[in-house]
Amino acid sequence: MANPDNIVQVNITVQDAAVSQAGFGTPLVMTHESPFGPELVRSYSSTAAMVSDGFAASGATVAAVTAILAQNPKVPTVKVGRRTSTPTAQTRVITVADVYDDTDYTVTINGTPFTIDSGSSATNLTIAAALETAINAGTEPVTATDNLDGTVDLVADTAGVEFGLTHSVGLLTQDDQTTDAGVAADYAAIKAEDNDFYGVLMTSGSTLEAIALAAAVEADRKIFGFSSADSDILAGTGGNLAETLATAGYNRTYLLWSQDFFGYAAAAWMGKQFPKNPGSSTWAFKSLAGVSVDTLSDTQVSNLEANDANHYTD
């Protein structure tokens, strides 16, 4: 018979404990704008504090955080994560989609409109050339290059500094061609220092970076939000960003098409929903403070929804 003294006595005490929701209501904005350091992450409850730290008041990082904090109710803090990769210059391609004589064609950069009259006997080549001349004659930090095929490349003068861009809908289209600076590695470094956040956003509008970051965030079971103004998404062109994300079958990534990229509509949407308890509300049919409503055709809406892309319309 075994000696009872050799039997280990185990006492189990059951106590009620709340499930931790650390970081569930905290969004992170990744940016190449780096006025602080050496830490990679800093928390902010106001954009005034960001400007005091050296962020540009009219820059992309403040714009993204403004979109988040403009919602009511709002999250108490937003985390900003410094990207340490070497930034690449934002590059967008403007294409003359339709040609009309004596018609105004407008490209607006950082709120400054550049409008040309197509004149008589217009072609896509003459319109593109006139847009290049107008933009380069201005003072916005963007250089235009006429590709001599009805398209114009717009490249930021400073790598890592984003510019806002809208255009004459129907007459012109735009698509992002910015290369990936290494966003997945940036994300890994940031979360290695501070992983207490649940939503991930970035100031970059790069399609390639969105694809790379979506894969990394999905693997962490966090939420990734991204806004895009790419016209190929609206047209349902094969291989567009929305189709790529939909084909990947992601469950924790959302794409919101918005004509005003610099409005950071995806950030506003996250800011609207993150103050609520997880699972307590649907994200559909919400009004977003400070976000411009887009006017889309039935075909465009159908193209977006066919690839699980969201839109902000009346």
Side-chain angles (χ1 to χ4, degrees), residues 34-85:
S34 304
F36 66 80
E39 74 271 30
L40 296 180
V41 182
R42 190 169 288 188
S43 297
Y44 293 98
S45 58
S46 71
T47 55
M50 294 176 63
V51 174
S52 294
D53 272 356
F55 284 98
S58 59
T61 313
V62 167
V65 175
T66 295
I68 296 170
L69 296 179
Q71 310 311 308
N72 184 22
K74 66 179 180 180
V75 296
T77 59
V78 178
K79 291 188 175 181
V80 175
R82 282 197 309 118
R83 298 183 57 180
T84 52
S85 60

Side-chain angles (χ1 to χ4, degrees), residues 9 12 24 35 45 51 59 86 116 147 159-160 165 192 202 204 231-232 234 254 271:
Q9 181 176 351
I12 300 176
F24 269 178
S45 58
V51 174
T86 301
I116 62 98
N147 296 314
L165 176 67
M202 62 177 174
S204 167
S231 299
D232 61 353
L234 278 187
Y254 66 89

